[in-house]
Amino acid sequence: MSSLNPRQQEAVLYTDGPLLVLAGAGSGKTSVITRKIAWLIAEKGVPSGRIAAVTFTNKAAREMKERVQSLTERGSTRGLIVSTFHNLGLRILKQELAASGLRRGFSILDQTDSKEILKEILRQGESEKDLAAVDAVQKRISDWKNELILPDEAVSHADSDDALRAAIAYQGYNRMLRACNAVDFDDLILMPAQLFREQPRILEKWRHRIQYLLVDEYQDTNGAQYELVRMLTHPEGRFTVVGDDDQSIYAWRGARPENLAKLQEDWPDLKVVKLEQNYRSTGRILKAANTVIANNPHVFEKSLWSDYGYGEAIRIAALRDEDAETDWIAGDIFHRRLQRGLHWKDFAVLYRGNFQSRILEMKLQALQIPYKVSGGTGFFSRGEIKDLMCYLRLLVNPDDDNAFLRVINTPRREIGPATLEKLAGWAAQRDQGLYHVCDDFALGEVMAGKAADKLRAFKTWLDEKRRACFGHNSLQAVNELITEMDYESWVMQNASSPRIGEKRMENVWQLVRNIQRMLEKQEDDEEGASDLEAVISKLVLMDMLEQQDEEDDSDRVQLMTLHASKGLEFPHVYMMGVEEELLPHRTSIEEDNIVEERRLMYVGITRARESLAITQALTRKQYGEKVDTLASRFLEELPLDDLQYIGEGFKKDEEQEDQVAQASIANLKALLD
């Protein structure tokens, strides 16, 4: 405890009622949560199996559990739940299968899988408008689920034709999921909350199971997550939640920062502890952050401070265009690293949208600066790779219903949701997987003969591919699978441009080449053995580990969106494109949602430990034409005395610019020698 400051100690030791820890950026909130768990186990005698800690990412959960284990005696954390909200929901559903209406081995659909099912449902209406609006329908259904609104309630609350269309699609979508023994990501919160509402016995069971609950990043909770926490902890209020309303930047995915204020309504005796001492940034950076965020309304006031000295001025660079902007950032990183003896990984460049990184990447490559783009689409997350992986999974495991649902209409085979719903009912009745009953002789009793024929034809064709894959030439069979279903035509037809379609097919053939190399390696290692099943199992594992691979600590400049930067910190930070209609974003301006964009600015500023540079391109290309930009309104909110202006929009420091140019030239020469 001696390593904690007084406010942190207060938060750790308080267990007499509900507690909100208002934790500013860099204030040591993770230390509070992990120390509190350790203290509950070691000093308060709470069994570890009766404690649950919930956060929003697998990485955060993993790190939290490791830190708790390092603070406690070996074996004392057995049974402790440290997980994401969705993993907690999954745990509840698996233990309450009968009550939830699910069967063992239920599938969890990702966003892409869900979208394909919705497309098929909307196609039944034969409306181009419906198909064009599939993304909007998917978003509306997700919003309903996040507010615990069930399909029938959505229909009764629909206040427009579009809302009614989405509500009817929601009904069909929900029936389809239940028939196929599947859930989507939002169901992992909705269904446990629904169980707790409707079955008090189950709620009491889980209240007994979780006797103390800790929640990290509480400002990011949506309506369903708030209700889940409320039901698990009401009325005793045996919980600690940690949050910061100034870092709530996920309203677009349902987060409600007002949930922090709502706590006081549901628990009038709520204790609030503020963590305001920052252990990350210099005083000047914190002053800038405090000054900007003070323009937002607050339920809980706080002001960050630090013992780390005042630090260097915040540099504001206004450059001619995006070429000059990225030139300046790349050059500044280059010479600062050499001038100060730093590592590449000490630098991070943050931006509002992923498109902003493209020009910068070229500039970094030209200077041979290693970099890593975080938050991009991983190889196994690409739609075309997921398609082929599901075919391969089904080849080696015909019981994989999730894979079956993805590929049955990819490419389209005119097998609609009504047919699949009947197929799923028949499979459940027979207690078999979907693939296995496609050629059931009695299938014609529950659906039209034409629909049954299409299912039978699909299984006959894939059975042939399965036999070939486990024959003498597995690779040839995989190639034939792709060509016989004319997958390339499907990809090109659904791509936004021929170039994009070609890139997607190149990804497919890259996967095939990977399979080839893995099969060849097997032959070398195992004296001629060639096991496609083992290769596919390894590929599935690679898929699961892809996100972990993103977490490497190699020496590279970090490029990421402002949203992706939350929770991270870097010695030297560049925020690029701080302009009106970028930050704040045009959509936010139109929707009068500046407060969240200001919070995004605050998050960006507070990622920096030692130095911060903010850039603006005075002109920027839009739709092939150069347009003049306006500096972001947030720049005007920064404390003037703490800024150093650089570039065309301001009075130049020619001596400094000359020094920078000379240093950069010298460094380039040194690299070439």
Side-chain angles (χ1 to χ4, degrees):
M1 288 292 178
S2 58
S3 61
L4 302 179
N5 67 43
R7 296 287 75 78
Q8 290 174 325
Q9 289 187 34
E10 184 182 7
V12 168
L13 298 177
Y14 184 79
T15 57
D16 294 337
L19 173 65
L20 166 62
V21 181
L22 200 67
S27 62
K29 64 181 178 65
T30 305
S31 293
V32 167
I33 294 173
T34 53
R35 290 293 187 98
K36 186 156 194 169
I37 295 171
W39 187 77
L40 284 167
I41 295 170
E43 303 298 329
K44 293 290 288 184
V46 181
S48 56
R50 296 286 183 265
I51 300 171
V54 183
T55 187
F56 279 83
T57 68
N58 289 317
K59 181 186 177 186
R62 189 166 59 249
E63 290 177 351
M64 193 179 290
K65 192 160 191 175
E66 288 170 357
R67 288 178 67 170
V68 172
Q69 288 171 339
S70 71
L71 293 168
T72 54
E73 294 182 6
R74 188 180 179 90
S76 62
T77 60
R78 189 174 292 110
L80 172 69
I81 297 174
V82 182
S83 73
T84 64
F85 263 107
H86 293 90
N87 277 329
L88 176 62
L90 180 60
R91 180 189 292 259
I92 294 169
L93 289 181
K94 283 184 173 180
Q95 293 190 29
E96 309 297 342
L97 271 179
S100 66
L102 296 168
R103 304 185 300 280
R104 192 176 300 278
F106 61 87
S107 300
I108 303 171
L109 306 185
D110 64 17
Q111 191 172 16
T112 308
D113 297 329
S114 300
K115 187 174 179 177
E116 290 304 314
I117 292 174
L118 274 172
K119 275 184 181 177
E120 291 301 320
I121 289 169
L122 292 171
R123 270 198 185 94
Q124 303 308 298
E126 299 181 355
S127 167
E128 290 299 320
K129 183 180 178 182
D130 286 353
L131 283 177
V134 64
D135 288 331
V137 170
Q138 187 177 34
K139 174 67 165 59
R140 193 181 286 261
I141 291 172
S142 179
D143 289 344
W144 278 326
K145 289 190 175 190
N146 289 335
E147 295 302 321
L148 298 181
I149 296 172
L150 300 177
D152 290 343
E153 294 171 323
V155 170
S156 64
H157 288 129
D159 55 1
S160 68
D161 290 344
D162 286 345
L164 183 59
R165 190 178 297 112
I168 293 170
Y170 183 13
Q171 288 182 318
Y173 173 70
N174 210 53
R175 284 197 308 272
M176 185 71 180
L177 292 187
R178 297 295 89 82
C180 296
N181 195 35
V183 298
D184 64 18
F185 208 54
D186 295 322
D187 284 330
L188 296 176
I189 307 297
L190 168 68
M191 292 179 70
Q194 190 181 352
L195 274 178
F196 290 166
R197 276 183 172 180
E198 297 174 355
Q199 303 199 40
R201 178 186 58 81
I202 293 176
L203 174 58
E204 284 305 314
K205 170 185 168 181
W206 281 92
R207 280 179 175 172
H208 178 72
R209 169 68 176 83
I210 301 175
Q211 294 182 4
Y212 202 92
L213 180 65
L214 303 98
V215 185
D216 194 14
E217 305 287 4
Y218 201 71
Q219 76 281 347
D220 293 336
T221 55
N222 58 35
Q225 290 160 339
Y226 181 93
E227 187 64 10
L228 195 67
V229 171
R230 190 193 67 78
M231 286 190 288
L232 279 169
T233 59
H234 206 266
E236 293 89 351
R238 296 188 299 262
F239 68 77
T240 294
V241 301
V242 182
D244 180 7
D245 52 345
D246 290 333
Q247 295 188 73
S248 182
I249 57 174
Y250 296 120
W252 50 276
R253 66 186 191 196
R256 293 170 35 173
E258 59 266 28
N259 283 348
L260 290 170
K262 198 167 183 292
L263 285 168
Q264 289 185 315
E265 298 174 17
D266 286 331
W267 286 276
D269 60 337
L270 177 75
K271 182 178 177 66
V272 179
V273 174
K274 298 179 183 179
L275 303 185
E276 297 174 296
Q277 183 174 357
N278 177 281
Y279 294 94
R280 174 186 301 162
S281 307
T282 65
R284 200 185 300 262
I285 289 169
L286 293 181
K287 180 183 173 184
N290 287 333
T291 306
V292 168
I293 206 64
N295 291 280
N296 271 6
H298 288 85
V299 176
F300 305 101
E301 297 290 341
K302 69 179 187 305
S303 182
L304 297 179
W305 60 275
S306 169
D307 284 334
Y308 286 177
Y310 203 52
E312 63 180 92
I314 295 167
R315 294 178 297 157
I316 311 292
L319 291 312
R320 181 183 66 256
D321 52 25
E322 57 258 57
D323 272 324
E325 179 188 38
T326 50
D327 268 338
W328 185 85
I329 292 171
D332 198 67
I333 291 172
F334 189 93
H335 95 269
R336 277 199 161 213
R337 173 184 174 266
L338 287 173
Q339 189 182 57
R340 303 188 181 193
L342 304 171
H343 298 284
W344 295 120
K345 64 182 179 182
D346 292 333
F347 299 90
V349 185
L350 313 181
Y351 36 79
R352 184 63 174 82
N354 279 307
F355 72 93
Q356 293 172 258
S357 74
R358 294 168 192 160
I359 301 176
L360 178 61
E361 288 182 63
M362 291 190 303
K363 301 299 170 65
L364 294 174
Q365 290 167 10
L367 290 175
Q368 297 184 323
I369 297 174
Y371 67 91
K372 172 189 168 190
V373 181
S374 299
T377 305
F379 183 73
F380 287 98
S381 299
R382 300 180 186 278
E384 62 276 10
I385 301 302
K386 289 171 73 74
D387 287 345
L388 189 54
M389 283 295 299
C390 282
Y391 269 107
L392 296 174
R393 283 163 46 191
L394 201 57
L395 287 175
V396 301
N397 178 19
D399 293 320
D400 193 333
D401 284 350
N402 198 4
F404 176 89
L405 288 171
R406 183 174 182 98
V407 304
I408 187 64
N409 265 316
T410 306
R412 273 187 57 74
R413 298 183 175 90
E414 296 182 346
I415 299 170
T419 298
L420 290 175
E421 197 171 330
K422 290 172 182 175
L423 179 71
W426 188 253
Q429 192 177 324
R430 295 284 179 133
D431 197 25
Q432 290 182 287
L434 297 171
Y435 182 82
H436 292 292
V437 298
C438 281
D439 60 353
D440 195 304
F441 70 93
L443 197 58
E445 296 176 12
V446 294
M447 66 178 65
K450 191 175 179 181
D453 289 343
K454 288 174 181 175
L455 290 169
R456 192 175 295 109
F458 171 74
K459 186 173 184 299
T460 300
W461 171 71
L462 206 57
D463 279 343
E464 182 187 329
K465 297 301 120 193
R466 291 187 70 239
R467 287 191 293 272
C469 280
F470 294 104
H472 294 294
N473 196 333
S474 300
L475 189 67
Q476 182 181 332
V478 172
N479 277 290
E480 288 176 356
L481 176 86
I482 297 167
T483 54
E484 287 182 16
M485 66 176 167
D486 198 13
Y487 186 71
E488 184 168 359
S489 293
W490 165 260
V491 167
M492 298 303 291
Q493 180 187 337
N494 288 278
S496 56
S497 71
R499 187 173 61 86
I500 296 294
E502 289 166 4
K503 281 188 174 181
R504 289 178 179 171
M505 281 310 300
E506 176 52 34
N507 290 333
V508 170
W509 297 122
Q510 179 62 50
L511 179 60
V512 174
R513 289 193 292 272
N514 290 345
I515 292 170
Q516 181 179 3
R517 283 195 291 269
M518 293 170 78
L519 287 170
E520 289 170 351
K521 190 174 186 301
Q522 277 188 339
E523 291 175 354
D524 294 338
D525 294 346
E526 301 172 22
E527 300 180 355
S530 180
D531 187 349
L532 184 64
E533 186 170 3
V535 167
I536 293 170
S537 296
K538 287 179 182 176
L539 286 170
V540 171
L541 184 60
M542 287 168 65
D543 185 0
M544 294 169 66
L545 295 175
E546 187 175 69
Q547 292 302 316
Q548 293 180 30
D549 291 340
E550 288 288 310
E551 297 163 15
D552 68 78
D553 193 38
S554 55
D555 191 21
R556 293 184 284 175
V557 175
Q558 305 294 303
L559 313 183
M560 65 187 71
T561 65
L562 286 158
H563 284 96
S565 74
K566 187 168 173 291
L568 304 176
E569 59 183 74
F570 308 93
H572 307 282
V573 169
Y574 298 79
M575 292 175 62
M576 62 184 290
V578 184
E579 306 151 17
E580 290 290 297
E581 301 195 353
L582 264 182
L583 184 66
H585 194 271
R586 181 186 303 170
T587 304
S588 299
I589 297 171
E590 292 170 351
E591 296 176 355
D592 196 23
N593 188 23
I594 300 300
V595 291
E596 176 145 335
E597 293 290 295
R598 186 175 285 110
R599 291 197 289 263
L600 198 55
M601 180 78 179
Y602 174 85
V603 166
I605 293 171
T606 54
R607 298 314 92 194
R609 296 210 299 261
E610 299 173 29
S611 78
L612 174 66
I614 298 172
T615 66
Q616 173 204 358
L618 295 172
T619 61
R620 190 175 293 278
K621 275 188 181 178
Q622 290 185 11
Y623 307 108
E625 293 185 6
K626 280 197 171 185
V627 298
D628 293 336
T629 71
L630 292 173
S632 170
R633 68 191 71 189
F634 303 143
L635 294 182
E636 297 176 2
E637 297 173 356
L638 292 168
L640 191 62
D641 293 344
D642 296 287
L643 308 180
Q644 176 189 358
Y645 292 102
I646 303 166
E648 297 185 14
F650 311 106
K651 184 180 178 181
K652 295 182 180 181
D653 185 337
E654 292 183 1
E655 184 181 351
Q656 183 189 52
E657 285 192 353
D658 187 58
Q659 288 175 352
V660 169
Q662 294 288 339
S664 296
I665 292 168
N667 294 332
L668 281 169
K669 285 180 177 177
L671 268 184
L672 296 171
D673 289 343

